[in-house]
Amino acid sequence: MTQQANEEPGTPRGDLAGKHIVLGLSGGIACYKAAELCRALIKQGATVQVVMTEAAEQFITAVTLQALSGRPVFTSQWDSRPAGGIDNSMAHINLSREADAILIAPCSADFMAKLLHGRADDLLSLMCLARPLATVPLLIAPAMNREMWAHPATQRNMAQLQADGATILGVGSGFQACGETGDGRMLEPPELLEDIIAFFTPKVLAGQNVLVTAGPTYEAMDPVRGITNLSSGKMGFAVARAAHEAGAEVTLVAGPVSLQTPRGVTRVDVKSAQNMLEAVTGRAQTATIFIATAAVADWRPASSQERKIKKDGTGQMPTLTFTENPDILATLAQSARAQSGALFCVGFAAESHDLEDNAQAKRLRKGVPLLVGNIGPATFGRDDNVLLLVDAHGSRELARASKLTLARQLVGEIAGRLKRAG
Ligand code: C5P
């Protein structure tokens, strides 16, 4: 990505640019993940102030986190060094005043219990209690053994912490350092990062139910062959992530691609265009926005053979006949919900030339209020793209950027249109 012309050189970039995060570590083996998390936050443009409990220092050293964060680490309420630029020996006050959030990762079962009771006998808990509730949110990434996590006391504490305004970032499931398998692991740093970025995103699609199609479809000729389209699915997955970040409930109906499901998004895997239509038809009854990014095959073999079609040695080619696939977008755009304005439909068009004319013609043919054009060969498989938004009033280009950046801009455009309409 290139630096925008109107930005000062050296302006921090990244999804957390300008955010100041106090990263608190309580005691637990997941402290080793906090080092990577600290680095990931900084890579996304945040500044990070690390605060550790005495127990956390048993698992990882302050030196490591100082090196990664580029700031001295605070571990004691009796530390009299200036904090947050103020020299009054009150680190618990000064460190939280400049924070955009306090993130406790890992948060042990004991530390959760402590927070719940408002105890304040170490710097980190003292700081959480002393933080301005209205302006400094508390994010918690629990980490503990599965039995500790499942214990009614922990579950009760978690519910009460949420009721008190804290955001629990969830736990992962799987093999634990203790040798047991189950829920309670701290989420991986990339997962936490995705959740933190989503936390800070304005919720312009709150209350919306978004249905997205993505990837290609695969139309089988026989058990080992088929026809498909070129599509990595990256744009659709980015759209699903951006819609979730913006506060929507998101269902992603994906053709055969090997991409990671965005956090918080419900994924339904399908193969053929017919499977895709079946998957969206019912879900469109409750969706309020439908975004069709999938590269649906226009045709499918008229019949799919149960056994592999063999060369018979005569040099004779098999004759294939095709049937047209349903147009999923056009079908949904004609539905009663779309016609009544309850379902806002957005299409994509991959063209090779005359983008604006072709996109506008396609928009009218499909009957959608907004169509997003892009040049196919310039986007397939890439992480960046250029989009052309085409609606009844004309067109507008979204300049080259990462697909995620463009997806976020598109979500903003859709939210703006819904607001004006409604
Ligand atoms: O007609 P074309 O494939 O170029 O149209 C592209 C748009 O229509 C995309 O939004 C695509 O997801 C959608 N589409 C569809 N079902 C089809 C063909 C295209 O939903 N059978």
Side-chain angles (χ1 to χ4, degrees):
M1 227 197 304
T2 53
Q3 184 104 10
Q4 301 289 309
N6 59 356
E7 280 181 7
E8 296 282 328
T11 302
R13 299 189 59 85
D15 293 339
L16 295 174
K19 298 281 183 238
H20 181 65
I21 296 180
V22 171
L23 174 61
L25 280 67
S26 61
I29 187 61
C31 278
Y32 80 92
K33 295 187 192 175
E36 202 186 325
L37 176 62
C38 176
R39 186 140 178 68
L41 293 168
I42 284 172
K43 262 181 145 174
Q44 286 300 330
T47 49
V48 179
Q49 172 63 58
V50 177
V51 175
M52 295 169 69
T53 65
E54 212 180 307
E57 287 185 279
Q58 296 291 320
F59 292 90
I60 190 167
T61 69
V63 176
T64 301
L65 285 145
Q66 174 168 355
L68 292 171
S69 65
R71 289 173 176 238
V73 170
F74 282 77
T75 57
S76 162
Q77 70 269 45
W78 310 121
D79 190 333
S80 63
R81 285 174 298 171
I86 308 171
D87 196 2
N88 59 0
S89 197
M90 291 194 195
H92 66 288
I93 303 290
N94 307 332
L95 291 178
S96 72
R97 292 301 179 270
E98 55 177 9
D100 290 292
I102 298 177
L103 164 64
I104 314 285
C107 188
S108 66
D110 179 58
F111 201 77
M112 279 173 78
K114 206 166 178 178
L115 285 174
L116 173 81
H117 288 288
R119 288 186 49 204
D121 59 355
D122 71 298
L123 177 59
L124 188 56
S125 56
L126 185 57
M127 207 181 61
C128 290
L129 191 68
R131 80 187 200 280
L133 267 183
T135 52
V136 184
L138 179 62
L139 310 182
I140 292 174
M144 64 199 73
N145 163 271
R146 66 189 176 106
E147 298 290 1
M148 293 168 78
W149 175 249
H151 196 284
T154 303
Q155 291 300 311
R156 203 165 51 231
N157 292 349
M158 180 175 68
Q160 188 57 50
L161 283 168
Q162 282 173 315
D164 290 348
T167 297
I168 309 282
L169 298 177
V171 291
S173 189
F175 184 69
Q176 303 195 310
C178 55
E180 297 180 3
T181 302
D183 291 343
R185 289 162 47 137
M186 188 167 88
L187 293 175
E188 297 305 318
E191 295 174 315
L192 286 173
L193 190 67
E194 215 175 305
D195 285 359
I196 293 158
I197 292 167
F199 176 82
F200 283 118
T201 305
K203 301 292 176 254
V204 294
L205 290 187
Q208 301 290 344
N209 187 333
V210 177
L211 185 58
V212 182
T213 64
T217 65
Y218 178 86
E219 315 295 330
M221 285 163 49
D222 68 20
V224 297
R225 304 188 192 89
I227 61 166
T228 187
N229 279 353
L230 270 182
S231 170
S232 65
K234 286 179 181 173
M235 192 68 227
F237 275 59
V239 167
R241 174 174 169 179
H244 167 70
E245 286 175 350
E249 284 286 321
V250 183
T251 304
L252 174 61
V253 177
V257 291
S258 51
L259 293 175
Q260 200 146 6
T261 312
R263 301 255 320 139
V265 166
T266 305
R267 175 172 176 173
V268 181
D269 284 319
V270 297
K271 234 173 173 179
S272 68
Q274 286 174 299
N275 297 157
M276 192 172 268
L277 178 65
E278 283 157 23
V280 301
T281 303
R283 292 177 172 89
Q285 295 307 312
T286 48
T288 55
I289 301 171
F290 175 57
I291 308 174
T293 74
V296 183
D298 289 323
W299 307 282
R300 65 177 181 276
S303 63
S304 173
Q305 304 300 317
E306 267 178 33
R307 291 173 166 224
K308 184 179 173 187
I309 304 167
K310 294 283 193 191
K311 281 189 281 192
D312 62 8
T314 63
Q316 201 70 25
M317 304 295 156
T319 310
L320 285 178
T321 51
F322 290 92
T323 305
E324 195 165 323
N325 267 330
D327 191 314
I328 301 166
L329 177 60
T331 306
L332 262 62
Q334 297 314 311
S335 69
R337 274 178 66 74
Q339 295 292 317
S340 71
L343 177 67
F344 186 81
C345 292
V346 182
F348 268 68
E351 303 293 341
S352 60
H353 60 284
D354 296 335
L355 185 55
E356 183 163 356
D357 289 349
N358 281 320
Q360 196 57 272
K362 192 159 285 179
R363 187 184 77 79
L364 295 169
R365 205 164 57 242
K366 304 264 180 183
V368 293
L370 177 62
L371 194 114
V372 184
N374 55 176
I375 296 291
T379 175
F380 293 145
R382 294 179 59 120
D383 288 327
D384 60 358
N385 200 358
V386 180
L387 299 181
L388 187 72
L389 306 190
V390 178
D391 65 14
H393 306 291
S395 68
R396 190 162 100 73
E397 187 179 275
L398 301 183
R400 181 166 293 283
S402 74
K403 288 183 176 174
L404 184 55
T405 300
L406 291 169
R408 288 172 176 153
Q409 291 171 3
L410 176 61
V411 159
E413 290 280 341
I414 294 170
R417 283 167 165 80
L418 289 177
K419 202 170 165 194
R420 285 196 290 279

Tab-separated table of all heavy atoms in Angstrom, residues 211-218 232-233 237 251-262 265-280 283 294:
chain	number	residue	atom	x	y	z
A	211	LEU	N	-25.644	-11.281	4.560
A	211	LEU	CA	-25.383	-12.554	3.892
A	211	LEU	C	-24.412	-12.282	2.748
A	211	LEU	O	-24.656	-11.392	1.924
A	211	LEU	CB	-26.734	-13.076	3.358
A	211	LEU	CG	-26.802	-14.448	2.720
A	211	LEU	CD1	-26.335	-15.546	3.673
A	211	LEU	CD2	-28.244	-14.734	2.269
A	212	VAL	N	-23.305	-13.028	2.728
A	212	VAL	CA	-22.261	-12.792	1.708
A	212	VAL	C	-22.000	-14.104	0.973
A	212	VAL	O	-21.904	-15.158	1.604
A	212	VAL	CB	-20.938	-12.334	2.382
A	212	VAL	CG1	-19.862	-12.041	1.332
A	212	VAL	CG2	-21.149	-11.109	3.268
A	213	THR	N	-21.902	-14.047	-0.366
A	213	THR	CA	-21.388	-15.219	-1.088
A	213	THR	C	-19.962	-14.913	-1.514
A	213	THR	O	-19.629	-13.769	-1.807
A	213	THR	CB	-22.219	-15.567	-2.337
A	213	THR	OG1	-22.129	-14.490	-3.282
A	213	THR	CG2	-23.669	-15.867	-1.996
A	214	ALA	N	-19.121	-15.956	-1.537
A	214	ALA	CA	-17.708	-15.726	-1.869
A	214	ALA	C	-17.108	-16.950	-2.548
A	214	ALA	O	-17.605	-18.067	-2.399
A	214	ALA	CB	-16.924	-15.411	-0.591
A	215	GLY	N	-16.015	-16.693	-3.270
A	215	GLY	CA	-15.274	-17.791	-3.905
A	215	GLY	C	-15.918	-18.229	-5.207
A	215	GLY	O	-16.915	-17.670	-5.648
A	216	PRO	N	-15.352	-19.278	-5.805
A	216	PRO	CA	-15.929	-19.803	-7.045
A	216	PRO	C	-16.995	-20.847	-6.729
A	216	PRO	O	-17.186	-21.198	-5.558
A	216	PRO	CB	-14.726	-20.495	-7.687
A	216	PRO	CG	-13.939	-20.992	-6.515
A	216	PRO	CD	-14.150	-20.012	-5.387
A	217	THR	N	-17.692	-21.320	-7.735
A	217	THR	CA	-18.455	-22.562	-7.559
A	217	THR	C	-17.772	-23.621	-8.410
A	217	THR	O	-16.987	-23.310	-9.299
A	217	THR	CB	-19.936	-22.423	-7.969
A	217	THR	OG1	-20.003	-22.169	-9.382
A	217	THR	CG2	-20.626	-21.326	-7.195
A	218	TYR	N	-18.056	-24.869	-8.090
A	218	TYR	CA	-17.450	-25.999	-8.806
A	218	TYR	C	-18.570	-26.875	-9.326
A	218	TYR	O	-19.430	-27.325	-8.554
A	218	TYR	CB	-16.549	-26.780	-7.848
A	218	TYR	CG	-15.915	-28.003	-8.455
A	218	TYR	CD1	-14.719	-27.903	-9.156
A	218	TYR	CD2	-16.514	-29.257	-8.348
A	218	TYR	CE1	-14.132	-29.026	-9.733
A	218	TYR	CE2	-15.940	-30.384	-8.914
A	218	TYR	CZ	-14.743	-30.260	-9.611
A	218	TYR	OH	-14.174	-31.377	-10.169
A	232	SER	N	-10.290	-16.310	-5.781
A	232	SER	CA	-9.615	-16.734	-4.550
A	232	SER	C	-10.555	-16.669	-3.355
A	232	SER	O	-10.297	-17.274	-2.320
A	232	SER	CB	-8.414	-15.818	-4.281
A	232	SER	OG	-8.874	-14.493	-4.024
A	233	GLY	N	-11.630	-15.882	-3.470
A	233	GLY	CA	-12.536	-15.686	-2.336
A	233	GLY	C	-12.093	-14.574	-1.401
A	233	GLY	O	-12.794	-14.226	-0.448
A	237	PHE	N	-14.320	-12.730	1.598
A	237	PHE	CA	-13.974	-12.969	2.997
A	237	PHE	C	-13.672	-11.636	3.688
A	237	PHE	O	-14.010	-11.437	4.860
A	237	PHE	CB	-12.785	-13.941	3.104
A	237	PHE	CG	-13.207	-15.395	3.050
A	237	PHE	CD1	-13.902	-15.890	1.949
A	237	PHE	CD2	-12.943	-16.260	4.101
A	237	PHE	CE1	-14.320	-17.224	1.897
A	237	PHE	CE2	-13.358	-17.598	4.071
A	237	PHE	CZ	-14.029	-18.080	2.967
A	251	THR	N	-23.304	-14.077	7.805
A	251	THR	CA	-23.197	-15.453	7.309
A	251	THR	C	-22.480	-15.410	5.968
A	251	THR	O	-22.847	-14.635	5.087
A	251	THR	CB	-24.589	-16.095	7.142
A	251	THR	OG1	-25.281	-16.014	8.386
A	251	THR	CG2	-24.471	-17.552	6.726
A	252	LEU	N	-21.470	-16.241	5.860
A	252	LEU	CA	-20.639	-16.277	4.653
A	252	LEU	C	-20.848	-17.623	3.976
A	252	LEU	O	-20.516	-18.668	4.533
A	252	LEU	CB	-19.174	-16.115	5.086
A	252	LEU	CG	-18.077	-16.260	4.053
A	252	LEU	CD1	-18.209	-15.219	2.944
A	252	LEU	CD2	-16.712	-16.107	4.719
A	253	VAL	N	-21.438	-17.596	2.782
A	253	VAL	CA	-21.649	-18.834	2.022
A	253	VAL	C	-20.496	-18.927	1.021
A	253	VAL	O	-20.398	-18.109	0.105
A	253	VAL	CB	-23.022	-18.821	1.318
A	253	VAL	CG1	-23.198	-20.088	0.484
A	253	VAL	CG2	-24.145	-18.696	2.343
A	254	ALA	N	-19.608	-19.899	1.257
A	254	ALA	CA	-18.348	-19.926	0.507
A	254	ALA	C	-18.254	-21.140	-0.396
A	254	ALA	O	-18.529	-22.271	0.024
A	254	ALA	CB	-17.172	-19.931	1.486
A	255	GLY	N	-17.853	-20.892	-1.636
A	255	GLY	CA	-17.506	-21.979	-2.544
A	255	GLY	C	-16.178	-22.570	-2.112
A	255	GLY	O	-15.618	-22.177	-1.079
A	256	PRO	N	-15.651	-23.531	-2.890
A	256	PRO	CA	-14.413	-24.204	-2.465
A	256	PRO	C	-13.182	-23.290	-2.477
A	256	PRO	O	-12.618	-23.021	-3.532
A	256	PRO	CB	-14.256	-25.345	-3.489
A	256	PRO	CG	-15.244	-25.090	-4.560
A	256	PRO	CD	-16.228	-24.080	-4.118
A	257	VAL	N	-12.802	-22.798	-1.302
A	257	VAL	CA	-11.584	-22.004	-1.132
A	257	VAL	C	-10.943	-22.441	0.181
A	257	VAL	O	-11.631	-22.969	1.051
A	257	VAL	CB	-11.865	-20.473	-1.040
A	257	VAL	CG1	-12.334	-19.911	-2.360
A	257	VAL	CG2	-12.849	-20.139	0.072
A	258	SER	N	-9.632	-22.209	0.304
A	258	SER	CA	-9.002	-22.595	1.566
A	258	SER	C	-8.562	-21.342	2.306
A	258	SER	O	-7.382	-21.090	2.466
A	258	SER	CB	-7.817	-23.526	1.311
A	258	SER	OG	-6.979	-22.946	0.342
A	259	LEU	N	-9.520	-20.543	2.711
A	259	LEU	CA	-9.229	-19.326	3.467
A	259	LEU	C	-9.772	-19.499	4.873
A	259	LEU	O	-10.757	-20.217	5.085
A	259	LEU	CB	-9.919	-18.118	2.817
A	259	LEU	CG	-9.423	-17.677	1.442
A	259	LEU	CD1	-10.287	-16.555	0.899
A	259	LEU	CD2	-7.972	-17.224	1.521
A	260	GLN	N	-9.146	-18.798	5.801
A	260	GLN	CA	-9.593	-18.858	7.197
A	260	GLN	C	-10.871	-18.040	7.376
A	260	GLN	O	-10.958	-16.920	6.847
A	260	GLN	CB	-8.490	-18.294	8.067
A	260	GLN	CG	-8.637	-18.731	9.487
A	260	GLN	CD	-7.266	-18.932	10.130
A	260	GLN	OE1	-6.225	-18.644	9.529
A	260	GLN	NE2	-7.272	-19.417	11.342
A	261	THR	N	-11.813	-18.602	8.115
A	261	THR	CA	-13.074	-17.893	8.357
A	261	THR	C	-12.808	-16.682	9.245
A	261	THR	O	-12.163	-16.809	10.291
A	261	THR	CB	-14.066	-18.819	9.095
A	261	THR	OG1	-14.085	-20.073	8.407
A	261	THR	CG2	-15.456	-18.223	9.137
A	262	PRO	N	-13.305	-15.498	8.861
A	262	PRO	CA	-13.110	-14.337	9.747
A	262	PRO	C	-13.768	-14.581	11.103
A	262	PRO	O	-14.783	-15.270	11.191
A	262	PRO	CB	-13.821	-13.200	8.999
A	262	PRO	CG	-13.945	-13.657	7.588
A	262	PRO	CD	-14.034	-15.154	7.635
A	265	VAL	N	-17.797	-14.797	12.272
A	265	VAL	CA	-18.633	-14.963	11.082
A	265	VAL	C	-19.080	-16.429	10.987
A	265	VAL	O	-18.286	-17.337	11.205
A	265	VAL	CB	-17.832	-14.563	9.818
A	265	VAL	CG1	-18.512	-15.021	8.538
A	265	VAL	CG2	-17.591	-13.058	9.807
A	266	THR	N	-20.355	-16.650	10.659
A	266	THR	CA	-20.847	-18.016	10.460
A	266	THR	C	-20.588	-18.418	9.014
A	266	THR	O	-20.988	-17.706	8.097
A	266	THR	CB	-22.374	-18.084	10.726
A	266	THR	OG1	-22.611	-17.574	12.033
A	266	THR	CG2	-22.913	-19.483	10.601
A	267	ARG	N	-19.896	-19.532	8.836
A	267	ARG	CA	-19.529	-19.940	7.460
A	267	ARG	C	-20.301	-21.186	7.045
A	267	ARG	O	-20.431	-22.131	7.809
A	267	ARG	CB	-18.037	-20.223	7.423
A	267	ARG	CG	-17.556	-20.765	6.081
A	267	ARG	CD	-16.052	-20.818	6.102
A	267	ARG	NE	-15.475	-21.390	4.919
A	267	ARG	CZ	-14.170	-21.405	4.678
A	267	ARG	NH1	-13.345	-20.869	5.549
A	267	ARG	NH2	-13.683	-21.939	3.573
A	268	VAL	N	-20.788	-21.158	5.817
A	268	VAL	CA	-21.465	-22.328	5.243
A	268	VAL	C	-20.699	-22.673	3.961
A	268	VAL	O	-20.609	-21.840	3.053
A	268	VAL	CB	-22.934	-21.996	4.893
A	268	VAL	CG1	-23.643	-23.216	4.318
A	268	VAL	CG2	-23.680	-21.459	6.109
A	269	ASP	N	-20.117	-23.859	3.905
A	269	ASP	CA	-19.360	-24.252	2.701
A	269	ASP	C	-20.265	-24.929	1.694
A	269	ASP	O	-21.070	-25.810	2.056
A	269	ASP	CB	-18.225	-25.210	3.098
A	269	ASP	CG	-17.070	-24.474	3.745
A	269	ASP	OD1	-16.717	-23.378	3.256
A	269	ASP	OD2	-16.533	-24.966	4.750
A	270	VAL	N	-20.143	-24.525	0.438
A	270	VAL	CA	-20.926	-25.147	-0.645
A	270	VAL	C	-19.988	-25.442	-1.805
A	270	VAL	O	-18.848	-24.967	-1.836
A	270	VAL	CB	-22.069	-24.225	-1.128
A	270	VAL	CG1	-23.078	-23.970	-0.027
A	270	VAL	CG2	-21.535	-22.897	-1.671
A	271	LYS	N	-20.502	-26.204	-2.760
A	271	LYS	CA	-19.682	-26.532	-3.932
A	271	LYS	C	-20.251	-25.882	-5.196
A	271	LYS	O	-19.636	-25.033	-5.804
A	271	LYS	CB	-19.655	-28.050	-4.100
A	271	LYS	CG	-18.263	-28.597	-4.169
A	271	LYS	CD	-18.262	-30.092	-4.173
A	271	LYS	CE	-16.836	-30.580	-4.429
A	271	LYS	NZ	-16.752	-32.021	-4.435
A	272	SER	N	-21.454	-26.286	-5.564
A	272	SER	CA	-21.994	-25.859	-6.862
A	272	SER	C	-22.879	-24.622	-6.715
A	272	SER	O	-23.252	-24.226	-5.605
A	272	SER	CB	-22.824	-26.994	-7.452
A	272	SER	OG	-23.983	-27.172	-6.667
A	273	ALA	N	-23.239	-24.053	-7.872
A	273	ALA	CA	-24.141	-22.898	-7.874
A	273	ALA	C	-25.495	-23.267	-7.262
A	273	ALA	O	-26.092	-22.478	-6.523
A	273	ALA	CB	-24.337	-22.402	-9.303
A	274	GLN	N	-25.943	-24.480	-7.579
A	274	GLN	CA	-27.243	-24.893	-7.016
A	274	GLN	C	-27.168	-24.995	-5.493
A	274	GLN	O	-28.075	-24.565	-4.791
A	274	GLN	CB	-27.688	-26.220	-7.626
A	274	GLN	CG	-28.178	-26.057	-9.063
A	274	GLN	CD	-28.482	-27.388	-9.698
A	274	GLN	OE1	-27.587	-28.225	-9.826
A	274	GLN	NE2	-29.723	-27.593	-10.072
A	275	ASN	N	-26.033	-25.577	-4.988
A	275	ASN	CA	-25.832	-25.633	-3.518
A	275	ASN	C	-25.853	-24.226	-2.942
A	275	ASN	O	-26.422	-23.978	-1.876
A	275	ASN	CB	-24.465	-26.206	-3.146
A	275	ASN	CG	-24.241	-27.638	-3.566
A	275	ASN	OD1	-23.113	-28.068	-3.714
A	275	ASN	ND2	-25.321	-28.377	-3.789
A	276	MET	N	-25.210	-23.295	-3.666
A	276	MET	CA	-25.100	-21.923	-3.162
A	276	MET	C	-26.479	-21.271	-3.101
A	276	MET	O	-26.833	-20.619	-2.111
A	276	MET	CB	-24.140	-21.114	-4.035
A	276	MET	CG	-23.741	-19.785	-3.448
A	276	MET	SD	-22.448	-18.964	-4.399
A	276	MET	CE	-20.969	-19.543	-3.597
A	277	LEU	N	-27.261	-21.506	-4.146
A	277	LEU	CA	-28.624	-20.941	-4.160
A	277	LEU	C	-29.443	-21.498	-2.989
A	277	LEU	O	-30.113	-20.755	-2.272
A	277	LEU	CB	-29.318	-21.239	-5.492
A	277	LEU	CG	-30.761	-20.736	-5.595
A	277	LEU	CD1	-30.809	-19.201	-5.546
A	277	LEU	CD2	-31.440	-21.225	-6.879
A	278	GLU	N	-29.343	-22.835	-2.787
A	278	GLU	CA	-30.088	-23.451	-1.664
A	278	GLU	C	-29.645	-22.846	-0.337
A	278	GLU	O	-30.466	-22.570	0.541
A	278	GLU	CB	-29.848	-24.968	-1.630
A	278	GLU	CG	-30.633	-25.729	-2.684
A	278	GLU	CD	-29.991	-27.079	-3.016
A	278	GLU	OE1	-29.230	-27.602	-2.171
A	278	GLU	OE2	-30.224	-27.574	-4.137
A	279	ALA	N	-28.328	-22.631	-0.196
A	279	ALA	CA	-27.810	-22.113	1.079
A	279	ALA	C	-28.263	-20.685	1.343
A	279	ALA	O	-28.476	-20.304	2.498
A	279	ALA	CB	-26.284	-22.188	1.101
A	280	VAL	N	-28.420	-19.887	0.286
A	280	VAL	CA	-28.793	-18.486	0.534
A	280	VAL	C	-30.306	-18.283	0.600
A	280	VAL	O	-30.771	-17.363	1.270
A	280	VAL	CB	-28.184	-17.487	-0.496
A	280	VAL	CG1	-26.686	-17.547	-0.501
A	280	VAL	CG2	-28.740	-17.660	-1.874
A	283	ARG	N	-31.748	-18.348	4.121
A	283	ARG	CA	-31.090	-17.327	4.955
A	283	ARG	C	-31.466	-15.917	4.518
A	283	ARG	O	-31.421	-14.984	5.314
A	283	ARG	CB	-29.572	-17.532	4.915
A	283	ARG	CG	-29.166	-18.815	5.619
A	283	ARG	CD	-27.692	-19.103	5.551
A	283	ARG	NE	-27.356	-20.230	6.411
A	283	ARG	CZ	-27.372	-21.505	6.025
A	283	ARG	NH1	-27.685	-21.816	4.776
A	283	ARG	NH2	-27.086	-22.462	6.886
A	294	ALA	N	-19.417	-13.852	-5.004
A	294	ALA	CA	-19.001	-15.146	-5.566
A	294	ALA	C	-18.894	-15.092	-7.084
A	294	ALA	O	-19.667	-14.404	-7.748
A	294	ALA	CB	-20.004	-16.226	-5.153
